Amino acid sequence: MKWAALKLALLISAVFVFQVFYQPLTEIFLLVSADIAGRPWILVTSIFIHGDTMHLLYNMLALATFGSILEKVTGERKFFLVFFLSGIASGMASTLLYSSVLGASGAIFGVIGALALLRPRLIVWALGAPMPMIIAAFAWGVLDILGLFAPSGTANLGHLGGLATGIVFGAIWKKRYP
């Protein structure tokens, strides 16, 4: 499958449209911390739902951009591996602080973490300026650490869990994808 990151972004967007028209889908797919033991699949399904249109658009722009780059570097299977395992790790980390979470941002942070190690000098537009991928990932990580002390409705710990997972993949694959 070529263009896996873009197809995944389209699938997640389609799920959001369905979510808007069928409200119970949010409750069915939502990662509720107290429900993980009885419904472990919500660690994956929660990646596919979003809180509102802006949440979806930001996540899908990041997924399409960074996911496409990672997919070109590692191939689709490894892209999917990073995306889903980072999303699961993000969900697990989130359960430590939040009663419920949703969205693909933790999985996307995993993609960013892997890219930061595999393509550290790649210039990306982040925080209003062009900068190397490694600096962008570091800056986003610092913002999420600060966000832990200023709760905002963002699952900052989930972002950090996804980022850390992606960094582990990047470190493992660094020699394979110079």
Side-chain angles (χ1 to χ4, degrees):
M1 173 194 320
K2 290 189 176 192
W3 306 99
L6 294 176
K7 290 176 183 176
L8 183 58
L10 286 172
L11 174 62
I12 293 170
S13 297
V15 170
F16 180 74
V17 170
F18 189 60
Q19 179 188 351
V20 168
F21 290 106
Y22 183 68
Q23 295 293 323
L25 187 67
T26 302
E27 291 298 318
I28 294 166
F29 278 20
L30 185 67
L31 193 164
V32 177
S33 298
D35 293 350
I36 288 181
R39 300 184 318 133
W41 57 84
I42 59 179
L43 286 165
V44 174
T45 60
S46 61
I47 295 169
F48 288 87
I49 58 173
H50 288 78
D52 58 39
T53 305
M54 291 309 292
H55 183 207
L56 175 77
L57 289 176
Y58 283 127
N59 276 350
M60 294 309 98
L61 176 62
L63 175 57
T65 302
F66 299 118
S68 294
I69 296 168
L70 183 63
E71 179 185 355
K72 286 180 183 173
V73 172
T74 65
E76 67 189 45
R77 287 183 181 176
K78 288 188 175 138
F79 157 71
F80 280 129
L81 186 67
V82 170
F83 182 85
F84 284 107
L85 289 183
S86 295
I88 290 167
S90 169
M92 291 170 59
S94 294
T95 64
L96 300 173
L97 283 184
Y98 315 107
S99 60
S100 63
V101 293
L102 73 164
S105 48
I108 294 163
F109 266 80
V111 169
I112 289 168
L115 267 180
L117 290 186
L118 296 175
R119 295 295 181 266
R121 291 179 289 188
L122 174 71
I123 301 299
V124 297
W125 190 265
L127 305 172
M131 62 184 71
M133 187 71 210
I134 190 79
I135 301 297
F138 179 79
W140 284 320
V142 167
L143 288 174
D144 274 311
I145 290 169
L146 294 173
L148 292 172
F149 302 100
S152 65
T154 298
N156 300 102
L157 188 60
H159 290 177
L160 293 168
L163 183 65
T165 304
I167 288 170
V168 168
F169 279 110
I172 292 168
W173 295 336
K174 182 76 173 150
K175 289 183 181 178
R176 188 178 299 167
Y177 303 104

